[in-house]
């Protein structure tokens, strides 16, 4: 299978791109792989290129060299192409989808991306209507509405300021979001049951555990279990949320005594979210979009993801068939 490296030259503020390209070329030469490099030109270009490649040349192994946004674009371009595979060389400030896998796999090792094993993972399909226009797509890791989305929105602007690193931008954005405490006003229906109606602090719909560059917001989420994990933190006061924030960030929020007073956590196959104030902002794999009523469904075994060091032997392939 041909390998195509999709390189986002702006990921990670454009640092070390030249070094990355040299490493890719060296690994292609060493592995004698049938491979090529494509450098994206603008937002959405990865999706357009991968979709066109699949239509004209068939399936390939597409390696997203960038952050979660680049990986999301590659997923959306390849998900309807039978037998296509995707991988990632993490360059962005988040890289949260990678955190769900065995740390023994070195995602930065270019040769592993060429020769490694791909395994099936779930994805989430969302459909929304904004200003009368229908929009749909796939999410690989997490959708956030409310506090988390506000933080991601502010963090993207913070990173544009001089001398503000990715981690500092996120920390400052958390402080500002805490002060403003905008939240959201939503009706949330999970598997045909209304579980919340009114103001809330945040909701996260997760395929993977992590968001925001390592915040373990949904510790029960698994990328291949056939369900989404949903967190809803109710409209609690700042003084109630502040002591919960460290637990929310490090993945121990569900262990807090009497947490059910503040948080709803459920696994589900389908969720419908309706903004009660016309529209809402939604964060999809770190990218912010405007949305109206939104339906999200899990797609089990939606794509193949490179996350193992070795390719299957012929005997292993036969056992899996």
């Amino acid at each position: 299978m041909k390998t195509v490296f999709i390189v986002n030259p702006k990921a990670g503020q454009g640092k070390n791109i030249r070094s990355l390209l040299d490493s890719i070329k060296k690994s292609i030469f060493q592995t004698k792989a049938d491979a090529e490099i494509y450098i994206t030109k603008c937002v959405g270009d990865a999706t357009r290129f991968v979709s066109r490649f699949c239509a004209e040349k068939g399936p390939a192994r597409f390696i997203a060299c960038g952050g979660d946004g680049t990986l999301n674009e590659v997923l959306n371009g390849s998900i309807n192409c039978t037998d296509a595979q995707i991988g990632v060389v993490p360059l962005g400030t988040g890289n949260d989808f990678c955190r769900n896998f065995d740390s023994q796999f070195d995602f930065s090792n270019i040769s592993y991306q060429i020769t490694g094993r791909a395994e099936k993972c779930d994805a989430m399909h969302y459909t929304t209507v904004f200003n009368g226009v229908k929009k749909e797509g796939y999410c690989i890791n997490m959708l956030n509405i409310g506090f988390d989305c506000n933080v991601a929105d502010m963090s993207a602007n913070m990173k544009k300021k001089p001398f503000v690193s990715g981690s500092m931008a996120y920390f400052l954005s958390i402080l500002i979001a805490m002060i403003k405490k905008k939240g959201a006003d939503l009706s949330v229906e999970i598997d045909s049951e209304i579980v919340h109606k009114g103001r809330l602090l945040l909701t996260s719909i997760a395929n993977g555990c992590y968001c925001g560059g390592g915040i373990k917001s949904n510790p029960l989420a698994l990328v291949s279990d056939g369900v989404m994990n949903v967190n809803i933190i109710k409209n609690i006061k700042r003084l109630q949320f502040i002591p919960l924030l460290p637990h929310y960030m490090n993945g121990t929020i569900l262990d807090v005594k009497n947490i059910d007073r503040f948080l709803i956590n459920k696994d589900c196959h389908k969720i419908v979210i309706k903004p009660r104030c016309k529209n809402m902002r939604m964060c999809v794999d770190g990218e912010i979009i405007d949305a109206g009523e939104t339906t999200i469904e899990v797609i089990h075994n939606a794509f193949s993801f490179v996350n193992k060091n070795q390719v299957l032997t012929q005997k292993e392939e036969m056992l899996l068939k």
Side-chain angles (χ1 to χ4, degrees):
M1 178 179 288
K2 189 179 185 69
T3 300
V4 184
F5 289 89
I6 312 295
V7 179
N8 178 359
K10 294 186 177 180
Q13 297 179 331
K15 297 176 181 178
N16 303 317
I17 293 298
R18 186 178 297 276
S19 175
L20 171 70
L21 293 173
D22 289 342
S23 296
I24 292 174
K25 292 172 184 176
K26 181 178 179 181
S27 293
I28 292 173
F29 176 78
Q30 290 175 337
T31 59
K32 297 180 173 60
D34 179 12
E36 65 180 70
I37 300 170
Y38 179 78
I39 300 175
T40 61
K41 300 173 179 63
C42 58
V43 174
D45 189 38
T47 297
R48 288 189 291 270
F49 172 82
V50 172
S51 179
R52 186 172 62 250
F53 186 102
C54 289
E56 295 176 356
K57 301 179 182 179
R61 172 173 289 195
F62 300 99
I63 310 300
C65 302
D68 290 318
T70 308
L71 184 58
N72 174 282
E73 288 193 21
V74 170
L75 170 72
N76 276 273
S78 64
I79 196 165
N80 293 318
C81 180
T82 304
D83 297 328
Q85 300 176 356
I86 68 175
V88 61
V89 176
L91 299 180
T93 54
N95 305 309
D96 287 304
F97 190 69
C98 300
R99 302 175 195 272
N100 295 290
F101 298 93
D102 190 337
S103 59
Q104 292 181 1
F105 185 79
D106 182 3
F107 284 97
S108 296
N109 187 310
I110 308 299
S111 295
Y112 286 177
Q113 294 295 332
I114 296 173
T115 64
R117 181 192 306 178
E119 295 189 335
K120 288 291 186 181
C121 290
D122 301 339
M124 298 180 292
H125 178 260
Y126 68 90
T127 305
T128 189
V129 177
F130 179 72
N131 287 345
V133 179
K134 180 180 177 182
K135 178 180 175 60
E136 63 180 316
Y138 293 88
C139 176
I140 198 168
N141 185 59
M142 194 177 298
L143 298 102
N144 304 90
I145 303 165
F147 181 84
D148 285 341
C149 181
N150 299 335
V151 170
D153 206 356
M154 283 185 278
S155 180
N157 291 323
M158 285 276 188
K159 290 174 189 175
K160 297 174 184 176
K161 300 182 183 297
F163 310 114
V164 179
S165 65
S167 57
M168 183 186 296
Y170 206 83
F171 179 73
L172 291 173
S173 298
I174 287 176
L175 295 179
I176 296 170
M178 185 73 70
I179 294 169
K180 292 186 175 182
K181 193 177 172 285
K182 290 170 62 178
D185 189 0
L186 308 173
S187 169
V188 183
E189 177 186 302
I190 294 179
D191 286 339
S192 302
E193 176 190 0
I194 299 291
V195 299
H196 180 87
K197 185 177 286 188
R199 293 205 63 80
L200 52 77
L201 183 66
L202 65 85
T203 181
S204 54
I205 304 97
N207 186 36
C209 292
Y210 300 91
C211 67
I215 292 176
K216 199 172 185 180
S217 61
N218 292 64
L220 299 184
L222 298 171
V223 299
S224 56
D225 61 351
V227 293
M228 305 176 289
N229 183 254
V230 180
N231 269 342
I232 299 172
I233 296 185
K234 300 173 185 178
N235 189 35
I236 61 178
K237 297 177 181 178
R238 292 181 185 85
L239 290 180
Q240 293 174 313
F241 183 57
I242 288 171
L244 294 177
L245 186 58
H247 295 284
Y248 181 74
M249 296 176 72
N250 64 26
T252 59
I253 187 71
L254 299 177
D255 299 328
V256 175
K257 186 177 180 180
N258 297 321
I259 192 60
D260 291 347
R261 292 182 299 161
F262 307 121
L263 181 142
I264 299 169
N265 180 270
K266 287 181 176 288
D267 286 337
C268 70
H269 295 94
K270 180 179 179 180
I271 181 169
V272 180
I273 300 174
K274 300 177 183 178
R276 284 154 52 92
C277 299
K278 192 177 179 181
N279 296 314
M280 62 186 179
R281 300 274 276 170
M282 183 166 67
C283 183
V284 182
D285 288 337
E287 304 298 321
I288 311 297
I289 67 170
D290 292 306
E293 179 176 330
T294 301
T295 299
I296 307 160
E297 298 181 89
V298 67
I299 310 297
H300 187 43
N301 290 341
F303 66 99
S304 297
F305 183 68
V306 181
N307 64 82
K308 296 294 182 182
N309 288 0
Q310 296 142 357
V311 295
L312 289 170
T313 64
Q314 189 173 12
K315 184 177 180 180
E316 287 174 322
E317 286 181 342
M318 292 298 295
L319 289 173
L320 289 174
K321 290 182 178 179

